[in-house]
Amino acid sequence: ACALVVGQQTTGVNAFLGYAATLFKHCGIEDPIKFNSIFNSIMIFGCVAGLLLIDSKYGGRRSQLLLGTLMMGPPLVVAAVALKFGWPWLTMCMVVLYGVGFQFAWGTIPWIYPAELFSMSEKGSAVSLAVGVNYVANALVVYVTPSFMSWSTVGTLL
């Protein structure tokens, strides 16, 4: 359960959410706060799709995590290349696709899974531990992101 929430944080989504205005400004977006609002609104569709499929015969936790990862990885590589070559709209489209992929799987499953793994007597402690590990991992991601962005915005996307 703890490894899953650490995996969730290493996807980098909180770097996007926490530093979205800075990242979008580097991409040439004139109103990064407006674009961030649009980005977050679109991510809701991925979350709804993930929640609808999680217990269906077409979904499932493992398959959704694998598909979500495929929806996230390649778009970040394309976004980095597009940013390097000065194609901001392609970068933004890929970041939005990444966000939908995240919400489809990694945004929901790590919050559900720890509660399902343990017996009732263990559940409270286990979920508390998983949430605590999630917050510590989140703090680390938020702490190192500015260093990565000052080193290379393109490299941060990778």
Side-chain angles (χ1 to χ4, degrees):
C2 290
L4 195 58
V5 297
V6 168
Q8 179 190 45
Q9 292 304 317
T10 59
T11 65
V13 73
N14 286 315
F16 280 108
L17 298 177
Y19 297 98
T22 305
L23 176 65
F24 296 157
K25 190 174 181 181
H26 283 160
C27 293
I29 301 297
E30 292 179 16
D31 189 355
I33 302 299
K34 181 179 178 181
F35 188 85
N36 192 26
S37 298
I38 294 167
F39 173 62
N40 283 293
S41 298
I42 292 171
M43 285 196 319
I44 291 171
F45 293 105
C47 186
V48 170
L51 289 173
L52 290 174
L53 289 174
I54 198 164
D55 285 327
S56 77
K57 65 180 181 179
Y58 303 108
R61 285 134 184 85
R62 182 176 185 271
S63 60
Q64 276 184 243
L65 287 171
L66 292 172
L67 181 59
T69 301
L70 286 174
M71 291 172 64
M72 294 164 53
L76 284 183
V77 173
V78 172
V81 170
L83 185 60
K84 180 72 173 168
F85 288 107
W87 303 326
W89 287 106
L90 180 57
T91 302
M92 293 298 92
C93 288
M94 293 297 105
V95 167
V96 168
L97 185 58
Y98 160 86
V100 171
F102 173 83
Q103 289 297 351
F104 177 73
W106 286 98
T108 54
I109 293 171
W111 290 101
I112 296 168
Y113 203 64
E116 296 177 334
L117 284 177
F118 302 98
S119 67
M120 287 302 287
S121 63
E122 302 168 318
K123 191 177 294 202
S125 297
V127 171
S128 296
L129 178 62
V131 170
V133 169
N134 195 359
Y135 282 119
V136 169
N138 180 20
L140 289 172
V141 168
V142 170
Y143 180 75
V144 300
T145 299
S147 299
F148 284 161
M149 289 182 68
S150 66
W151 166 68
S152 170
T153 304
V154 172
T156 303
L157 289 174
L158 294 174

